[in-house]
Amino acid sequence: MPTRTHQAAPSRGAVATGLARGLHRPWLLVVPALTLVLTAVSLWAAGSAGSTELNDPGGLVRWGLPLAESILNLSMAVVMGSLLFATCLLPRFAVDAAGRRRRQPASEGAATPERGQRAEYPPFTAALNLGAVAALTWTIAALCTLVLSYADISGTPPSADQTFTSQLLSFMQNIPAGQIQTTLVVVGAVVTTLIFGVRSLTGLLLTLGLSFVGIVAMALGGHSSGGDDHMGAVNSLGLHLLGVCLWFGGLLVLAYLSRQLGGPDAGTGTVPQKRRGTETAQTRRVPMAVAVLRRYSAVALAGFILVSVSGVLNAAVRVHGWHDLTSTYGLLIVVKAALTVLLGLAGAVHRLWLIPRVESGETSAFRGIWQVIAAELIIFAGISAAAVTLSRTAPPVNEDLATDASPARIITWYDAPPEPQGALWFTTWRPDWFWVAVALFAAWAYVWAFIRVRRGGGRWNPLRLASWLVGLACLTVATSGSLAVYARVLFSVHMMEHMSLTMIIPIFLVLGAPVTLLLQALEPRQDGTRGPREWILRFLHSTFSKVVTHPIFVGVNFAASLIVFYFTPLFGVALRYHVGHEFMMVHFLITGYLFALVLIGIDPIPHRPTYPFRIVMLIATLGYHAFVGIAIMSSDTLLQASWYGNLGLEWAAPAIEDQQRGGAFMWALGEIPTMVVAVIVAVQWSRSDRRLAERLDRKADRDGDAELEAYNEMLERMQERGGR
């Protein structure tokens, strides 16, 4: 048998074959190195790291702080990307071609191989290992950023003496910038601990949610309270950071796992089969690399849209007019936007050309995929450098609070609006980009599911689609329209916004039955991963769902929230802090949604009360709302007097009168939706009884009314025994 001789000529083919399998992990170190180099170059070009004449902290701080921020940003993105892959894109356990979980060889002392533990999927393990290292880096970088930030603000070089240490502790405890940096350190440390110790998918998903607290902290620290649109800037920056972290972090994790996913032992995954006509939903098996690429492609597309739109919105707050784009800050925005467009084009090449080629069987197209990914990582390094330099560069628009600012501007972050009358109720807008994004995403998801179900031959009432869209439109008005603007300065309008979120909007959303529609539209995965459908079902069957949807919990939560919120310091927290304000609206909406879901929803929940019990809940709620509303109407004590009593609105009624008017609104607006829900419950009760009667009639027709005959015979026997 002849032996093969080694040929040196086809080295190019060997390189191509190796590249087709994925990227070598050592080469990924080029990304952070290039990010640091480009950050230093951009800082030098923009002059953002130059020395200052007054309180110069030194070159170590001026250059070390932005470089530490670059490492912090990169490590946060990798952590979130690795957790995203572990919870949604990769299986936890290895599966065979049939979708069954593989088992490791039996350990020593095991009687049979079946007693061996389930084998953890190697890319899953690798993703979490990468996330653990990145989380540790996050913690260290955040700690360095904390120390250097204080040195930069105070104008003193870092030192180990007692004076610097005590002032640093005061900075961490009392100064908002220090509190934000401390939050990043704490969140990084907790996430690090959880990634090392947690392996359940639910725990990892909660860890991913906890890591988002870092995004919130960075968004709050990225804008001055004296800007023209504080809430718009914070929310758009938060959405921007979320898109970048999931997009860039996911891309880094994908490149890190590329050789494992393209290896011979990677296994297979499932992807949805395209529906044609009235075909039923099906899935097909493809190489795991293809399945992961398709899933990440959807994440990348969402990230690109989020980053692009939020970036434009955030820049509009800081740049007033095209002439500001010629400034250093404006030029950095232009560079960042151009690089983002290049990334969008690269993503289009992936989605429209390379991935379809791989799905059709051209495995050679993997080489192009990894080449484009390598180019994307280089572009992302440039974007990261530009972002850090932007954070160190003064915008052309002054964001400091004016010395002659009005009381309303000082308290609420905005100038006082004009007196609400006539058309102003319809033309006054202040977009809350968080809720706008929520409404747009919810509308897109529902319409997508509706079209998918209808094309697959399923049936779905268009009135439910209309109800869902009307609810989202009302949500947008309540959070971004005149109600949101005047709720900041008038308690009566705040109460109108509250009642809309908790009593009116949930009725429309619940009647849309989004969970039932999504479960019909989404195909189940059969490769051990958890997609949206699997996570929805997991939540529906969880202990948490059983508790929060229990009728008693829902009723108590709905009623007690009024007392706990308005008659405790929580009301002040919601007014004064951005996070508190958003949490208030989220809480009101979810509380009302759960209440309406238990009473009139058709979506599956663990506990569905009987119709008589629903009527009792409604009566009790109506009475409780009336009681609280009357209590506020008759009160002579002003709630949050330091807020509503100091706004100085010339056109407004006295604050105590406006508060009493708000109590009246609470009473009236609480009764109308309650009566609407009562009518819906009565209609559903009637239909349920009619369906039960029809079912019994059909059963009687099938068996000759055997149940009634048996009952009559029993009565006759009892009568005979009684006669004897």
Side-chain angles (χ1 to χ4, degrees):
M1 182 176 181
T3 59
R4 295 183 179 179
T5 58
H6 176 73
Q7 297 179 359
S11 57
R12 182 177 179 182
V15 172
T17 303
L19 187 58
R21 291 183 54 193
L23 301 174
H24 286 281
R25 289 177 179 175
W27 286 102
L28 295 178
L29 296 176
V30 173
V31 178
L34 183 61
T35 301
L36 294 178
V37 171
L38 292 178
T39 301
V41 172
S42 60
L43 287 170
W44 172 79
S48 302
S51 60
T52 58
E53 296 181 359
L54 184 64
N55 291 334
D56 183 23
L60 174 63
V61 175
R62 287 186 280 105
W63 290 95
L65 178 57
L67 296 180
E69 290 177 346
S70 295
I71 298 174
L72 174 61
N73 297 341
L74 189 64
S75 58
M76 286 181 62
V78 173
V79 168
M80 296 176 193
S82 64
L83 290 172
L84 175 68
F85 267 70
T87 54
C88 300
L89 307 186
L90 296 172
R92 180 184 177 187
F93 299 107
V95 295
D96 56 20
R100 296 187 298 268
R101 292 178 178 177
R102 300 176 186 171
R103 291 183 177 272
Q104 295 176 346
S107 58
E108 184 176 356
T112 61
E114 286 74 17
R115 291 183 59 185
Q117 296 180 350
R118 290 173 293 183
E120 197 168 69
Y121 190 51
F124 176 88
T125 306
L128 288 184
N129 290 340
L130 176 64
V133 174
L136 184 60
T137 306
W138 169 356
T139 307
I140 297 174
L143 187 60
C144 295
T145 302
L146 170 63
V147 176
L148 294 176
S149 295
Y150 168 70
D152 182 55
I153 293 174
S154 63
T156 57
S159 64
D161 58 48
Q162 185 176 0
T163 302
F164 183 88
T165 304
S166 60
Q167 292 176 349
L168 175 61
L169 291 175
S170 177
F171 172 73
M172 296 166 58
Q173 296 172 356
N174 304 318
I175 306 300
Q179 294 170 349
I180 290 172
Q181 296 296 335
T182 305
T183 301
L184 285 172
V185 176
V186 173
V187 172
V190 174
V191 170
T192 303
T193 304
L194 292 176
I195 292 182
F196 274 108
V198 175
R199 274 301 182 269
S200 70
L201 295 183
T202 302
L204 291 174
L205 185 66
L206 294 176
T207 304
L208 175 61
L210 177 62
S211 68
F212 290 160
V213 177
I215 292 179
V216 175
M218 294 183 71
L220 291 172
H223 181 68
S224 171
S225 61
D228 288 341
D229 188 1
H230 170 85
M231 298 183 69
V234 170
N235 287 350
S236 60
L237 181 57
L239 295 172
H240 191 76
L241 293 173
L242 175 63
V244 169
C245 287
L246 296 181
W247 185 13
F248 186 25
L251 190 67
L252 280 167
V253 176
L254 179 61
Y256 181 79
L257 302 176
S258 59
R259 295 190 71 83
Q260 281 185 300
L261 293 174
D265 298 330
T268 59
T270 58
V271 296
Q273 181 74 36
K274 292 184 179 180
R275 297 183 180 182
R276 297 179 181 177
T278 59
E279 293 181 357
T280 57
Q282 294 180 351
T283 58
R284 59 191 176 93
R285 288 207 161 267
V286 295
M288 183 60 73
V290 176
V292 173
L293 280 169
R294 281 199 56 175
R295 293 164 187 168
Y296 170 74
S297 178
V299 175
L301 177 60
F304 171 73
I305 296 174
L306 201 58
V307 168
S308 301
V309 176
S310 62
V312 172
L313 296 174
N314 194 263
V317 176
R318 294 174 169 84
V319 177
H320 292 179
W322 295 101
H323 60 279
D324 287 340
L325 294 179
T326 59
S327 63
T328 301
Y329 193 91
L331 291 175
L332 287 171
I333 291 178
V334 172
V335 170
K336 191 178 175 183
L339 294 177
T340 303
V341 171
L342 287 178
L343 284 176
L345 294 176
V349 171
H350 269 294
R351 193 174 187 88
L352 301 177
W353 184 46
L354 292 175
I355 295 179
R357 286 180 58 193
V358 172
E359 290 182 357
S360 64
E362 297 183 38
T363 56
S364 59
F366 271 119
R367 179 188 180 190
I369 287 177
W370 305 128
Q371 285 177 330
V372 175
I373 287 178
E376 288 177 321
L377 291 175
I378 295 175
I379 297 174
F380 259 123
I383 292 178
S384 179
V388 172
T389 306
L390 270 173
S391 67
R392 305 290 299 170
T393 305
V397 177
N398 185 19
E399 294 186 334
D400 295 330
L401 188 66
T403 56
D404 59 344
S406 63
R409 180 58 180 263
I410 296 173
I411 295 175
T412 69
W413 310 316
Y414 294 95
D415 292 327
E419 182 179 359
Q421 55 183 347
L424 287 178
W425 285 108
F426 304 96
T427 59
T428 303
W429 288 86
R430 184 185 296 149
D432 187 324
W433 298 115
F434 170 76
W435 288 104
V436 171
V438 169
L440 290 176
F441 176 78
W444 170 84
Y446 197 99
V447 171
W448 171 86
F450 176 80
I451 295 174
R452 190 170 181 83
V453 169
R454 296 290 289 257
R455 285 182 177 177
R459 299 177 59 186
W460 193 258
N461 193 339
L463 291 178
R464 294 196 180 276
L465 170 63
S467 177
W468 179 259
L469 295 180
V470 169
L472 293 179
C474 294
L475 176 63
T476 304
V477 172
T479 55
S480 300
S482 57
L483 289 181
V485 174
Y486 288 101
R488 301 288 293 172
V489 296
L490 295 174
F491 180 84
S492 58
V493 182
H494 163 82
M495 189 57 67
M496 294 170 61
E497 181 187 40
H498 171 187
M499 299 308 295
S500 299
L501 289 170
T502 196
M503 293 290 289
I504 300 175
I505 297 172
I507 296 176
F508 293 100
L509 297 180
V510 167
L511 291 177
V515 175
T516 303
L517 178 62
L518 286 174
L519 290 177
Q520 293 184 23
L522 294 168
E523 287 86 1
R525 293 185 182 178
Q526 299 174 359
D527 56 5
T529 60
R530 285 188 188 174
R533 192 177 192 277
E534 287 73 21
W535 278 114
I536 291 174
L537 292 174
R538 183 74 176 181
F539 175 78
L540 290 177
H541 296 94
S542 65
T543 303
F544 178 78
S545 176
K546 294 178 181 178
V547 172
V548 299
T549 61
H550 194 280
I552 296 179
F553 177 88
V554 168
V556 172
N557 180 45
F558 190 82
S561 294
L562 298 175
I563 298 296
V564 173
F565 181 78
Y566 285 108
F567 298 101
T568 66
L570 285 178
F571 189 22
V573 172
L575 291 173
R576 292 174 176 81
Y577 297 98
H578 184 92
V579 175
H581 177 75
E582 299 293 354
F583 176 79
M584 172 193 70
M585 292 192 291
V586 170
H587 175 74
F588 286 161
L589 182 63
I590 293 179
T591 299
Y593 186 90
L594 291 176
F595 187 76
L597 176 64
V598 170
L599 293 179
I600 62 175
I602 68 168
D603 283 335
I605 58 175
H607 303 284
R608 182 76 66 185
T610 61
Y611 286 103
F613 188 81
R614 301 184 199 186
I615 298 297
V616 172
M617 288 182 62
L618 273 175
I619 295 174
T621 303
L622 180 62
Y624 194 83
H625 265 267
F627 171 77
V628 177
I630 293 174
I632 295 177
M633 287 174 56
S634 58
S635 175
D636 294 329
T637 302
L638 183 61
L639 300 176
Q640 295 302 317
S642 61
W643 182 280
Y644 290 109
N646 293 325
L647 293 174
L649 302 178
E650 298 179 356
W651 47 263
I656 190 64
E657 294 182 11
D658 183 71
Q659 176 179 299
Q660 293 170 351
R661 187 181 299 117
F665 286 156
M666 182 179 187
W667 184 9
L669 293 177
E671 288 189 0
I672 297 174
T674 302
M675 298 308 298
V676 172
V677 173
V679 171
I680 297 175
V681 171
V683 172
Q684 291 180 344
W685 193 353
S686 175
R687 289 180 177 178
S688 176
D689 288 346
R690 186 171 64 252
R691 287 193 298 268
L692 177 60
E694 292 174 353
R695 186 166 60 251
L696 293 177
D697 289 342
R698 290 193 298 269
K699 182 177 182 298
D701 292 338
R702 289 194 305 269
D703 57 17
D705 211 353
E707 186 175 353
L708 180 59
E709 292 294 337
Y711 181 71
N712 290 333
E713 291 177 0
M714 181 191 67
L715 292 179
E716 291 177 359
R717 289 194 299 269
M718 293 176 62
Q719 185 177 8
E720 291 176 358
R721 287 196 298 268
R724 290 195 299 268

